[in-house]
Structure formats: C-alpha cells, structure tokens
C-alpha cells in the first residue's frame, strides 16, 4: 500500500523569505503522480502543483517549485518570496497511474507566513 | 458557476434528522469523490464514483448513503448520524484516463461544515 509522510506538522516563515516543505512517499509503482494541495483557512482545497513521475524535470508554478527525487521517494515543495496569502495547510498527495482513482494524502503541514 | 460547488456550506442537524449534501462539478469530469476531513486526522476517502458507478466504498457506515445520478452531480444522504460524524465533507472530481494535461488530478469543492448535535 502507498503511504505519504509529511514530517513537519507546523512551520513558519517570514514574509518574502523562502520555505521548503518536505514529503516522502512509499510505493512499489513506477508510474504515478504527485501533488501538493493548499487549504487556506477559508477551507477550499486548491491544487498548487503536480508532478508526473516519468518526467525528470521538476515542476514549477510561479513562486512554487518542487524537488522531485524519485530514487529517494522525496517530493518537497519550495515556496519563494512567501506571501501572507500562502498561510495555509499544505497536503502532499500520491496517485498511481495503474487504474485506481485513489489519492493518498499526507497529514499536512500547517504553514504560517509572518509579516 | 465554475469548478466544483457544494451546498449547503454549513449544516447543523440532530441525530434523528435526515439531510442531504449536494455536489456539482462543471468541469466535464467522469469521476467524483466524497471525503471526510476531521480535526487532526488525515483526509478520509469515503466514496468514489466513476461514470456514475460506485468504484470505492471505504468501509463507510450505512448512515451515509451516496447517490450519483449523472457524472456532474453527487449527493450524500445522511440519516441518524452520530456526534462523531461532525466534520468537513469535501467533494472532488477528476478526469480519469485520457491524455489531457489535467488527467488524474482531483479538484475540490469548498466543503460542507457538518455539525451533529
């Protein structure tokens, strides 16, 4: 069974600085997707970034980028130039491409951006 | 409306009530999901529907009854709930299979905050 581990329950960062959230996963699959979702205090879960395992290039979306290390089964999220609006719960998630619709989530990291 | 919508946003019910949660997706997706999010617990997948057929029931008690009349609408019927069922209920949808860039990516609604008294 696949598992996703986020080892940092809470983190904080100063506005305009850079922060990295860690995520590791366990799977025997070779073809899969990895995601970072953001859930602000207003509750709606929003997709931040997505990575396909067969792609070696790390995904980037504006200030958000990932460091995908397939051999180490690591998928960290880097937020550059942190903004107050980045304050949220961040969830790492895994999905196999083998036909299951299931998305496996980590427990989340609560990020607070301080002014 | 765009994306995934859920109604109501807040619901308070007694243990003997019957109520329903509604989810609608405007993304043309073929799969829909119900999740339960409780404080200090990981997100729990409850049900999965793919092309209106239920493909996953994650050992959910029978007091929760899903209904998927078509690929755009998903309901969760609630009856004789317990206080421990109080949680945020999230609906999501995705396009499973295919070659579009967003394939296999779940998009979430805003959730219904349920309180059972």
């Amino acid at each position: 069974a696949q598992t996703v581990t986020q080892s940092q329950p809470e983190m904080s960062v100063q506005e305009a600085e850079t922060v990295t959230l860690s995520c590791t996963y366990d799977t025997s699959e070779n073809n899969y997707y990895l995601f970072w979702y953001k859930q602000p205090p207003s509750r709606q879960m929003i997709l931040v970034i997505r990575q396909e395992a067969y792609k070696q290039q790390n995904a980037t979306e504006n200030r958000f980028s990932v460091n995908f290390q397939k051999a180490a089964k690591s998928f960290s999220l880097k937020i550059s130039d942190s903004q107050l609006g980045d304050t949220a719960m961040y969830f790492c998630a895994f999905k196999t491409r083998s036909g299951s619709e299931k998305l496996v989530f980590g427990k989340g990291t609560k990020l607070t951006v301080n002014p | 409306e765009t994306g995934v919508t859920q109604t109501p946003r807040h619901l308070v019910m007694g243990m003997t009530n019957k109520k329903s949660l509604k989810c609608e997706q405007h993304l043309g997706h073929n799969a829909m999901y119900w999740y339960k999010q409780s404080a200090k617990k990981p997100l729990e997948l409850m049900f999965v529907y793919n092309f209106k057929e239920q493909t996953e029931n994650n050992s959910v008690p029978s007091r929760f009854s899903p209904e998927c009349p078509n690929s755009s609408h998903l309901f969760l019927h609630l009856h004789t709930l317990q206080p421990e069922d109080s949680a945020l209920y999230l609906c999501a949808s995705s396009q499973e299979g295919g070659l579009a860039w967003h394939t296999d990516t779940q998009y979430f609604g805003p959730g219904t905050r349920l309180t059972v008294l």
Side-chain angles (χ1 to χ4, degrees):
Chain A
Q2 290 89 2
T3 58
V4 175
T5 302
Q6 294 179 249
S7 58
Q8 306 147 315
E10 292 192 41
M11 293 188 74
S12 62
V13 63
Q14 291 299 122
E15 200 175 0
E17 293 188 348
T18 295
V19 64
T20 298
L21 280 57
S22 66
C23 172
T24 58
Y25 58 95
D26 188 24
T27 183
S28 57
E29 301 277 340
N30 193 47
N31 208 0
Y32 49 87
Y33 299 96
L34 293 160
F35 307 88
W36 278 100
Y37 284 91
K38 167 186 175 181
Q39 189 177 34
S42 62
R43 302 190 316 224
Q44 181 138 16
M45 191 90 74
I46 303 164
L47 176 70
V48 175
I49 202 163
R50 155 190 150 125
Q51 175 82 40
E52 296 179 59
Y54 71 88
K55 290 187 176 177
Q56 292 187 341
Q57 188 172 9
N58 288 324
T60 61
E61 284 289 339
N62 302 312
R63 298 182 295 107
F64 298 89
S65 61
V66 298
N67 183 4
F68 174 46
Q69 302 287 330
K70 190 171 184 180
K73 296 181 182 171
S74 170
F75 183 62
S76 60
L77 175 70
K78 185 171 87 171
I79 306 174
S80 304
D81 185 26
S82 297
Q83 299 176 0
L84 297 178
D86 295 333
T87 292
M89 282 291 290
Y90 286 82
F91 294 94
C92 179
F94 168 99
K95 184 183 185 300
T96 179
R97 289 191 72 172
S98 67
S100 169
E101 307 99 338
K102 260 184 151 176
L103 195 57
V104 180
F105 283 89
K107 292 185 178 181
T109 295
K110 183 179 180 182
L111 176 68
T112 301
V113 180
N114 298 307
Chain B
E1 292 272 21
T2 58
V4 181
T5 58
Q6 290 186 244
T7 54
R9 296 292 302 274
H10 300 269
L11 179 62
V12 179
M13 59 187 288
M15 289 191 284
T16 58
N17 291 157
K18 286 185 182 181
K19 297 286 184 184
S20 296
L21 310 185
K22 179 183 175 182
C23 176
E24 185 173 359
Q25 60 96 359
H26 310 267
L27 300 168
H29 290 166
N30 57 11
M32 296 187 77
Y33 311 78
W34 280 117
Y35 287 89
K36 177 183 178 182
Q37 188 176 32
S38 307
K40 303 194 189 290
K41 288 175 95 174
L43 214 59
E44 299 173 57
L45 178 65
M46 299 174 74
F47 301 104
V48 181
Y49 278 82
N50 196 326
F51 285 109
K52 303 187 301 178
E53 299 297 322
Q54 189 179 120
T55 59
E56 185 94 21
N57 177 339
N58 220 19
S59 303
V60 180
S62 59
R63 57 186 184 270
F64 294 91
S65 174
E67 179 191 359
C68 188
N70 54 59
S71 293
S72 299
H73 293 86
L74 185 64
F75 295 89
L76 188 63
H77 304 299
L78 316 170
H79 63 98
T80 58
L81 293 191
Q82 305 298 312
E84 60 264 29
D85 296 322
S86 298
L88 182 67
Y89 288 85
L90 293 170
C91 174
S93 72
S94 69
Q95 181 63 32
E96 295 298 305
L99 300 173
W101 71 270
H102 62 271
T103 294
D104 298 300
T105 301
Q106 290 185 22
Y107 292 89
F108 287 81
T112 295
R113 172 66 65 187
L114 174 67
T115 303
V116 182
L117 301 176

